[in-house]
Amino acid sequence: MTDTQINVSFQAREDAVRDAIDRLMTQLRPWGLDSDMAGTVELVIAEALNNVVEHAYANTSPPCPVHVACERQAGGVSIRIVDEGAEMPDGQLPMGLAPDVDVDLMDLPEGGFGWFLIRDLAQDVEYRRAGAQNVLNLRLDLALS
Amino acid sequence: MDVISTTQAGLLVLSIKSPRIDAAAAITFKDAVRASTNAWDGAVLLDLTEVQFIDSSGLGAIVAIKKALGKDRTMILAGLTETVAKVFKLTRMDSVFSLYDTLEMAIADQSDTPTTQVAL
């Protein structure tokens, strides 16, 4: 019997994101994700957590708590990320449009890929402000065995 | 970040000795590669064989390196794992870089091109 819910909490800092993802991926191992699925889960969570550290908590002094909850469901994994940082601009998720790469070398985009990757890989990406908290919910459709 | 620098088939090969090029590593990665490419005029191959994970910050750092190399110095990426290759494919950056699954394939391809061929 493996846990169907995994929770990891940490204080937001760039190097703490790496450690938190490492803990999550270790605990997710019994769910039997293949390397491609694990890569997708890791990438989506990493992009969302980087956003929390770099934007929501950009101008905040500690404590900067972040909570990540992953739940194994039929047909995939649902993920909830909660932080107490600044609200998303206009209270909404970024559009996450694909940056244009058909441009001159010097005009190639060096950023703006994070939300595009999240929206491209995840389903039902939903954000709400709840009191002093940001709540991000999303789902990854994965053929778990 | 450790970067091992060698020359093979007329290329400067930079092997990245880190499992992750992520937000926390992007700046040191960029600085280390720039320091290694400063005194080199030719094509550069980034060997990512040991890199298991790259996020959008790492991708941005690789794009920044390509820009710094300019139009005259080709940048080749080799040794992409499935997960790393996916980031390039989804963002369509696979159309911007020459990508190879393995370092050997990249070197062999370069050796086949007439400009770098040497008489045996």
Side-chain angles (χ1 to χ4, degrees):
Chain A
M1 192 63 194
T2 56
D3 290 337
T4 56
Q5 176 131 18
I6 290 165
N7 295 287
V8 166
S9 296
F10 66 101
Q11 290 292 318
R13 281 196 328 268
E14 265 182 359
D15 50 342
V17 167
R18 191 184 278 190
D19 178 63
I21 290 172
D22 197 44
R23 280 189 284 152
L24 265 170
M25 297 313 293
T26 302
Q27 292 185 61
L28 279 171
R29 215 166 281 153
W31 292 5
L33 281 70
D34 65 24
S35 68
D36 185 42
M37 294 180 202
T40 299
V41 172
E42 184 168 4
L43 183 59
V44 167
I45 295 178
E47 296 298 346
L49 295 184
N50 286 340
N51 185 69
V52 170
V53 173
E54 291 165 17
H55 299 288
Y57 282 130
N59 303 305
T60 316
S61 44
C64 302
V66 187
H67 308 283
V68 187
C70 299
E71 189 178 7
R72 182 183 172 151
Q73 299 172 327
V77 175
S78 78
I79 298 166
R80 169 176 294 191
I81 297 174
V82 178
D83 68 75
E84 295 173 16
E87 187 175 2
M88 287 272 180
D90 303 324
Q92 288 184 350
L93 284 180
M95 293 281 281
L97 299 176
D100 190 3
V101 300
D102 295 320
V103 294
D104 278 353
L105 173 65
M106 296 318 286
D107 294 329
L108 280 174
E110 294 176 34
F113 293 110
W115 281 107
F116 166 71
L117 287 170
I118 293 172
R119 287 190 181 274
D120 196 70
L121 292 167
Q123 290 76 43
D124 299 338
V125 184
E126 175 201 283
Y127 165 81
R128 67 189 155 87
R129 183 76 177 175
Q133 293 186 322
N134 295 308
V135 181
L136 178 71
N137 284 299
L138 54 87
R139 208 181 73 249
L140 293 169
D141 287 340
L142 303 170
L144 297 175
S145 50
Chain B
M1 181 176 291
D2 282 343
V3 176
I4 309 277
S5 171
T6 55
T7 53
Q8 297 179 51
L11 297 167
L12 178 67
V13 177
L14 301 176
S15 298
I16 310 304
K17 299 291 172 186
S18 167
R20 301 177 75 84
I21 308 177
D22 56 15
I27 291 172
T28 49
F29 162 74
K30 204 156 58 175
D31 290 348
V33 171
R34 274 190 182 161
S36 306
T37 53
N38 272 345
W40 179 260
D41 290 332
V44 174
L45 187 154
L46 221 51
D47 172 18
L48 302 175
T49 305
E50 293 189 22
V51 178
Q52 302 298 314
F53 180 81
I54 181 174
D55 65 12
S56 62
S57 302
L59 178 69
I62 291 175
V63 172
I65 292 164
K66 182 172 173 63
K67 288 185 184 176
L69 289 174
K71 286 197 164 101
D72 297 332
R73 287 185 287 175
T74 310
M75 185 167 165
I76 300 160
L77 307 179
L80 283 74
T81 65
E82 194 181 10
T83 304
V84 171
K86 185 148 88 176
V87 174
F88 281 86
K89 196 171 171 196
L90 291 174
T91 57
R92 295 191 48 245
M93 279 294 177
D94 57 345
S95 66
V96 172
F97 294 93
S98 304
L99 305 179
Y100 292 88
D101 288 344
T102 67
L103 178 60
E104 290 70 27
M105 286 161 74
I107 300 278
D109 208 27
Q110 294 306 306
S111 307
D112 286 346
T113 59
T115 49
T116 55
Q117 216 162 42
V118 288
L120 295 174

